[in-house]
Amino acid sequence: MSSDRPNLYDLSPGALAELFRRWGEPAYRAKQLYRHLYVQRTADPATMTDFPKALRDRLANETAFGVLRKKQLLTGDDGMTRKVLWTLPGGDPLETVLMIYPDRATVCVSSQSGCPMQCVFCATGKLGFLHDCTPGEIIEQVLWAERELKAFLAASNPQAKIENRRLSNIVFMGMGEPFNNYDNWWTSVERLHDPDGYDMGARNFTVSTVGLVPGILRLADEALPVNLAISLHTPDDDLRSAMMPVNKRYPVAELIEATRTYTEKTRRRVSFEYVLLKEKNDFPEQALRLAQLLRPADRPPLLCHVNLIPWNPVPGTPLSRSDRRRVLNFQAVLKEHGVPCTVRVERGVDIAAACGQLAGG
Ligand code: SAH
C-alpha cells in the first residue's frame, strides 16, 4: 500500500469533505462516503453503487481503505477467540483480539505498536516502543473485528440473523499505553462514538492505563463517559516501582489522588486491574493494604472495583502465576474488607492472545 495515499479512516468528516472539494465532488458525496465507511461499514468502493463509476475508481486508485496488512489469524477457545497479527506500513507489528461470547462480543484493540512503559511482567513491553497508532489504524481494528464477528456467526449458524449483530464492547487493552498516544486514541473514540456514524455508546468503551496521571485527569474532563481501568498491581511503592517503572514518576499516593479526582468529577466507578504474581504481590497482607488504600479509615471509600488477573505466562520472564488457592484467598481478604472484586475470566491463553501476551508474533 503506497503511503502517499490518504487512509480514509484517518480523515475526519471535515477532512473527507475537503478531499472531495479538491476533487470537485459535490459536498453531499462526502457525507455519503462517511456513511459507507461507518454506517454500512464497507471497505470496498466497488460496492458503493450510489457513486458514479469514475468516483469509485478514483477512490480505489488514490485513497486507502485502511493500511493494516493481515499477517496471520489465530483462533482459540473453539473459534470464539480470534487474534489477528497485522503489519503496519512501516513494518511494525500490531495485534487485535476479538472475543465472542454467546450474547456479546468484545474487541481488544492496540493503541501503539510495542510499548514504552516497560512493565516487567508484560510481553508487549519487551518490544520497546515502536509506533503510535493513528486514529485510522485504531478504527480499522474495530471494523475488522466487526466483520470477523459477522463472518464467524454466519459460518457457525447460517440461519441466524446476523445483520444486526454488533460489537458490544471496545477495550483499549491491547498493545501499548493509550494515554501515551492520547490525541490519536481519543480521536478514534470520538469517531467510533459519532451517532451519525459508527454509533458505539460511550459506556461500551473501556480504556486501560498503566497509571499516567495527566491522562487520568484529562479523561475526567472529557464529555464522553467512557470506562476507565487502572493497572495498579500492588499497593506498595517499592514493589510497584520494581514492577512498573511508571511508578517512579507517578507513585501510588499520587495515582490514587488522581483517581479520586476522577471519580468525584465523573461519579463513575473505576476498575483497578491487579495481575497476580505468585509470592510477589499475592500475599494476604498485600490484599489488606490494598483494601486500606481503597477504603481508608479517614476518607470516603474510592468508587471502584478490583479485577484480579492471574498472570499469563510470558516466555523468558522469571515470574509465576498465582495458583487458584492464592487467588481465592486474596479475593476473600478484599471482600472481607468491603472491596468489590472479581477474577477475570481468561481468553486466548493458548494462542498468546491473553492480557499481556501480545508481542507481535
Ligand atoms: N498499557 C495499558 C494496557 C495494557 S494491557 C495498561 O497498562 O493498563 C491490559 C492489562 O493487562 C493491564 O492491566 C496489564 O498490566 C495487564 N497485563 C500485562 N501483562 C500481563 C500478563 N502477562 N498477564 C496478565 N495481565 C497482564
Side-chain angles (χ1 to χ4, degrees):
M1 186 72 60
S2 103
S3 55
D4 49 6
R5 297 181 183 197
N7 177 0
L8 293 176
Y9 298 113
D10 273 332
L11 304 186
S12 64
L16 287 177
E18 171 56 22
L19 177 75
F20 271 24
R21 195 193 56 72
R22 273 191 281 123
W23 286 8
E25 295 290 341
Y28 69 89
R29 291 261 184 244
K31 291 212 171 78
Q32 280 175 305
L33 178 59
Y34 187 77
R35 291 184 60 79
H36 279 304
L37 296 174
Y38 296 106
V39 182
Q40 277 91 41
R41 298 164 199 167
T42 171
D44 178 5
T47 64
M48 300 177 183
T49 48
D50 52 347
F51 283 175
K53 172 88 169 53
L55 178 56
R56 279 182 266 157
D57 290 346
R58 192 157 189 198
L59 284 167
N61 295 328
E62 297 181 29
T63 69
F65 288 77
V67 296
L68 301 179
R69 268 195 301 114
K70 195 185 288 175
K71 189 170 163 201
Q72 201 182 5
L73 177 74
L74 292 166
T75 63
D77 304 317
D78 286 331
M80 305 281 271
T81 301
R82 312 179 76 80
K83 165 170 116 163
V84 64
L85 177 60
W86 308 103
T87 306
L88 284 154
D92 294 325
L94 201 70
E95 298 189 18
T96 310
V97 183
L98 169 65
M99 290 161 281
I100 304 169
Y101 303 87
D103 56 337
R104 66 198 162 90
T106 297
V107 62
C108 179
V109 175
S110 296
S111 53
Q112 296 179 314
S113 171
C115 184
M117 305 314 301
Q118 302 296 313
C119 302
V120 297
F121 47 83
C122 178
T124 309
K126 311 254 181 278
L127 298 174
F129 168 74
L130 299 171
H131 170 86
D132 276 330
C133 287
T134 67
E137 289 159 359
I138 297 174
I139 290 166
E140 261 182 88
Q141 297 175 63
V142 172
L143 296 176
W144 163 80
E146 187 165 292
R147 279 195 288 275
E148 185 73 15
L149 171 67
K150 288 191 167 147
F152 174 80
L153 293 174
S156 48
N157 183 0
Q159 264 80 52
K161 263 190 65 138
I162 52 139
E163 305 83 71
N164 301 328
R165 265 302 289 268
R166 298 197 53 177
L167 292 172
S168 338
N169 296 90
I170 299 175
V171 301
F172 296 94
M173 297 189 183
M175 285 181 163
E177 167 53 38
F179 288 175
N180 201 249
N181 185 21
Y182 195 109
D183 291 338
N184 288 352
W185 164 70
W186 189 252
T187 299
S188 76
V189 170
E190 289 190 314
R191 180 86 47 75
L192 291 165
H193 170 263
D194 181 4
D196 296 326
Y198 189 73
D199 194 22
M200 176 61 89
R203 296 295 178 127
N204 302 97
F205 293 92
T206 299
V207 62
S208 178
T209 179
V210 72
L212 290 179
V213 163
I216 294 171
L217 298 176
R218 192 167 161 190
L219 188 65
D221 288 328
E222 301 285 5
L224 296 181
V226 303
N227 300 304
L228 174 62
I230 297 172
S231 296
L232 184 58
H233 304 330
T234 167
D236 304 319
D237 268 323
D238 288 353
L239 180 57
R240 195 163 188 273
S241 293
M243 287 166 67
M244 307 170 74
V246 70
N247 194 67
K248 295 176 198 149
R249 238 193 311 159
Y250 303 111
V252 174
E254 201 177 325
L255 175 57
I256 295 296
E257 232 14 76
T259 309
R260 238 178 226 289
T261 304
Y262 175 91
T263 56
E264 281 163 12
K265 273 195 180 167
T266 64
R267 314 232 162 259
R268 292 197 300 274
R269 187 175 78 155
V270 299
S271 42
F272 285 109
E273 291 151 300
Y274 197 108
V275 168
L276 285 163
L277 293 158
K278 188 171 182 182
E279 290 167 18
K280 289 263 185 237
N281 66 350
D282 67 351
F283 292 99
E285 305 85 83
Q286 289 160 316
L288 180 60
R289 282 201 294 279
L290 177 62
Q292 287 160 347
L293 183 70
L294 305 179
R295 297 181 66 90
D298 54 344
R299 298 185 67 180
L302 247 181
L303 191 55
C304 71
H305 167 271
V306 172
N307 204 208
L308 298 174
I309 316 170
W311 181 69
N312 297 310
V314 173
T317 309
L319 295 167
S320 41
R321 175 189 172 90
S322 306
D323 53 57
R324 187 96 196 127
R325 191 180 52 81
R326 295 181 73 90
V327 172
L328 295 178
N329 277 344
F330 197 93
Q331 185 182 27
V333 175
L334 287 178
K335 285 199 161 161
E336 233 171 81
H337 290 84
V339 177
C341 168
T342 47
V343 180
R344 184 173 289 174
V345 177
E346 283 167 90
R347 275 299 186 96
V349 178
D350 49 342
I351 54 167
C355 302
Q357 293 187 314
L358 305 184

